[in-house]
DNA sequence: CCCGAGGCTGCAAGCGTTTGCAAGACTGGT
DNA sequence: ACCAGTCTTGCAAACGCTTGCAGCCTCGGG
């Protein structure tokens, strides 16, 4: 029996296109192939394909591609209550840190047929909750969360209930969810090594906000590294946010006391703020003060002076997070893992031996 | 009658949370409120609310919020074949031009209850087609497209068929879809005015690829502006892509002839490439050659020297694109519109009067 | 020759909503 | 008191797919 297509699909495309294109349905395929919709479904579905006779599979698939059939994911989701969709929560796409991460996530998930829903929370608990809820309503299969606020009750409860979730670039001890992040501690240690190697002894740290995990982690790493060199670990000022302005404020505070010969900034943005502060005080980088950033943002090497920074493999962070989530979704892995990706100190013009 | 909740919803949350949370369904709400699901649906639905007695509406809404009911968008989509979702196609999220645009889109659409699906195409026709198709399958209500390739047959046909679609940051004459972009022509004109005002007469243009609309538009604007000043308009070299490397190559080619006193780059990335080329040739910006960019990317003012550039309101571009699409989706506006947002020349340290 | 066991396929229910249709309850006018 | 019209609500059928269950057919062994 040859597959006969319903007239509406074989009709030649008129020069004046009809306003709406009726997508063929599974039933259309089934009748055209002379089988029951259930059989067509099984034939088209990877997992159930083995249940139907090879010849039938072949026929159905041919008809399906002839009709240009594509399964309707909505209907499928309704039935299976899975959506092949994951939600990605980030604070702000405009922050240069996140685009590469998101891109990595989309590439990795897309390769497995998943699509991603992103939302910006601006670290606002209300936005975060509503976005999270909206995504849950849309039946996302899991989450990748780049915002620290796991104290959000909704998210916290969801995590406890076993909603698949992996955190990226942020850590949390309170809950066992998978985490992928850069190896911040090592990055900071290398930074301090580098500065000490140049001859610096009076090294200060402009820390990021301590309620954000990276802020706390890097601060602790700084203290440890300094102690390891037998140097004072208390030259620390905490910025209120990971922003240029906060970095400037914090740095000015620092400069009001004894001026250190080197500053380890918790972040590239904070480092830029330090640039500003130095300029305001008439100090020159690196002649008077060396500065090191963190993240190695795009074009940061073209600043005046080029910023020495710790390169974090952001794209790979995203890819790895996606992979972890996929493992979890496929049921392969259940136990949470912590993956730390190696970072690399990129030395540029903002660090030099201390004057005199 | 007081609303009695089914036991499973009133059960106290155990310390050890159950692995899965059964979301209440419309039927649950209905029975709890003592009405038929259809009535509950109408009561909860903005548009049909007027059909049901106010007292009933009240009761249903109370029960709904008590149960924490949220409509299941999947089921609704299946029924209505609308999804409250729009697809956003961009070449590469990692290009600093796009995050603000996407953010603007998400903010504007999110405020109207829409969620967005983004995909990166890398300007690869194959990826573009498949992403587009996947989004169509997911029942997106419309598209915002930031990739130039409207020659894609799928997309072209969809546009002809009246699939709601707006293009951002790219133009096309061949099709009548709404477009929102920066006012490139004026931006280039202001740039040339600025340079001429500084005393430059020998001004060259490093154009972006001409098969991208911005490349062509800016080149045309450059020619027009130069002619307007009675200056030669043929000092043009076309870069192969909007990238640093392509900018460097094109600029080197330019510098191999008579060195101009000023360069109008089609793009900030191209301008950075020009920086590189200048440096290689031992020339100083702005002493030997002035350079102007386009887009005013983040931190571009912190380069060495700070780049004079044309600021494009990217976030607003996204917002406006979203607004246009929303208008279209709500049926308010049907005829395509072209919206050009004003740009602004930001003068910094990369432009100065010509030497001598 | 009969019977049990597989291998394929069809049947039908149901996922959670929306919505055309119709029935019941009122209202007011005559 | 009756009837037409208006409100309010219920009924049931979809939307397009998946899946447990059951039935059919075929085949090989006893």
């Amino acid at each position: 029996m040859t597959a006969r297509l319903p007239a509406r699909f074989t009709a030649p495309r008129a020069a004046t296109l009809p306003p709406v294109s009726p997508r063929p349905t599974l039933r259309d395929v089934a009748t055209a192939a002379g089988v029951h919709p259930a059989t067509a479904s099984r034939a088209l579905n990877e997992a159930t394909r083995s249940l139907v006779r090879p010849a039938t599979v072949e026929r159905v698939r041919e008809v399906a591609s002839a009709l240009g059939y594509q399964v309707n994911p909505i209907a499928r989701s309704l039935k299976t209550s899975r959506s092949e969709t994951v939600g990605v929560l980030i604070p702000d796409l405009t922050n240069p840190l996140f685009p590469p991460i998101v891109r990595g996530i989309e590439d990795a998930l897309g390769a497995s047929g998943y699509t991603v829903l992103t939302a910006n929370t601006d670290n606002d608990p209300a936005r975060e909750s509503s976005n999270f809820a909206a995504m849950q309503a849309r039946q996302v299969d899991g989450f990748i969360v780049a915002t620290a606020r796991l104290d959000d009750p909704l998210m916290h409860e969801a995590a406890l209930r076993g909603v698949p979730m992996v955190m990226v670039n942020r850590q949390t001890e309170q809950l066992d969810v998978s985490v992928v992040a850069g190896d911040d501690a090592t990055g900071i240690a290398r930074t301090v090594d580098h500065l000490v190697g140049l001859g610096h002894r009076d090294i200060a740290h402009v820390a990021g906000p301590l309620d954000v995990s990276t802020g706390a982690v890097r601060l602790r790493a700084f203290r440890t590294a300094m102690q390891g060199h037998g140097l004072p670990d208390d030259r620390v000022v905490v910025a209120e946010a990971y922003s240029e302005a906060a970095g400037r404020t914090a740095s000015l505070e620092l400069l009001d006391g004894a001026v250190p010969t080197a500053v380890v900034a918790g972040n590239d943005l904070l480092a830029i703020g330090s640039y500003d502060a130095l300029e305001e005080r008439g100090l020159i980088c690196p002649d008077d003060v060396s500065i090191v950033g963190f993240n190695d943002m795009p074009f940061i090497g073209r600043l005046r002076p080029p910023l020495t920074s710790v390169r974090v493999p952001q794209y790979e962070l995203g890819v790895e997070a996606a992979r972890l989530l996929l493992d979890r979704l496929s049921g392969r892995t259940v136990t949470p893992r912590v993956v730390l990706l190696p970072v690399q100190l990129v030395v540029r013009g903002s660090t030099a031996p201390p004057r005199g």
Side-chain angles (χ1 to χ4, degrees), chain A:
Chain A
M1 178 213 297
T2 75
R4 280 199 68 80
L5 313 186
R8 57 172 167 150
F9 295 122
T10 54
R13 297 264 153 83
T16 156
L17 293 172
V20 64
S21 64
R23 304 176 68 82
T25 142
L26 184 59
R27 218 213 298 293
D28 293 330
V29 174
T31 50
V35 299
H36 191 273
T39 305
S41 169
R42 284 190 274 252
L44 262 17
N45 228 311
E46 187 63 52
T48 50
R49 183 162 304 158
S50 60
L51 293 179
V52 18
R53 190 156 49 102
T56 312
V57 171
E58 188 55 25
R59 187 152 37 99
V60 171
R61 299 182 75 175
E62 268 172 15
V63 173
S65 81
L67 293 184
Y69 171 77
Q70 280 182 262
V71 17
N72 180 331
I74 308 264
R76 177 188 298 207
S77 289
L78 182 57
K79 184 65 183 160
T80 63
S81 66
R82 281 173 292 106
S83 63
E84 307 266 271
T85 296
V86 328
V88 174
L89 290 173
I90 58 175
D92 178 15
L93 189 59
T94 281
N95 181 331
L97 179 62
F98 295 109
I101 297 181
V102 173
R103 184 71 213 267
I105 294 174
E106 293 194 350
D107 285 357
L109 287 179
S112 298
Y114 280 78
T115 60
V116 344
L117 242 38
T118 60
N120 301 84
T121 69
D122 284 325
N123 279 326
D124 171 7
R127 286 193 65 162
E128 193 149 331
S129 288
S130 71
N131 281 320
F132 187 79
M135 285 177 169
Q136 280 210 123
R138 277 198 150 77
Q139 306 264 35
V140 300
D141 298 334
F143 289 90
I144 295 180
V145 183
T147 66
R149 335 194 103 278
L150 201 62
D151 46 325
D152 181 289
L154 250 73
M155 231 181 282
H156 193 259
E157 183 181 322
L160 282 182
R161 285 182 187 247
V163 173
M165 191 180 314
V166 1
M167 315 204 59
V168 60
N169 200 44
R170 294 280 190 275
Q171 303 201 27
T172 178
E173 288 93 9
Q174 41 173 325
L175 216 48
D176 46 25
V177 294
S178 281
V179 166
V180 23
D183 185 357
D184 287 11
T186 304
I188 292 288
R190 292 285 166 280
T191 301
V192 172
D193 291 351
H194 166 63
L195 292 172
V196 170
L198 286 174
H200 292 276
R201 324 247 340 133
D202 187 3
I203 306 174
H205 181 41
V206 175
L210 299 184
D211 53 350
V212 178
S213 72
T214 53
V217 168
R218 290 171 195 168
L219 171 56
R220 199 181 319 136
F222 174 77
R223 291 224 156 99
T224 307
M226 290 297 279
Q227 289 161 11
H229 286 284
L231 296 174
D233 66 349
D234 57 348
R235 294 278 274 153
V236 170
V237 51
V238 179
E240 295 205 336
Y242 272 132
S243 72
E244 213 173 316
R248 175 180 156 275
T249 309
S251 300
L252 284 176
E253 189 181 325
L254 198 63
L255 297 178
D256 281 343
V259 175
T261 66
V263 171
V264 176
N267 187 325
D268 287 340
L269 292 175
L270 294 178
I272 294 180
S274 295
Y275 274 19
D276 293 342
L278 247 52
E279 194 172 333
E280 279 180 52
R281 290 288 187 265
L283 296 169
I284 308 280
C285 170
D287 301 359
D288 298 310
V289 181
S290 289
I291 294 184
V292 183
F294 209 107
N295 280 347
D296 196 32
M297 283 176 13
F299 304 110
I300 204 81
R302 297 200 166 260
L303 294 194
R304 184 176 35 177
L307 183 65
T308 294
S309 186
V310 176
R311 183 177 183 323
V312 178
Q314 292 142 353
Y315 181 85
E316 288 76 12
L317 244 44
V319 170
E320 191 59 28
R323 224 177 261 153
L324 251 47
L325 188 61
L326 286 173
D327 277 0
R328 178 73 169 65
L329 290 178
S330 67
R332 255 170 285 158
T333 315
V334 179
T335 61
R337 263 182 292 170
V338 173
V339 177
L340 294 186
L341 265 39
V343 301
Q344 185 190 359
L345 179 67
V346 181
V347 177
R348 300 203 182 89
S350 68
T351 47
R355 164 167 295 182

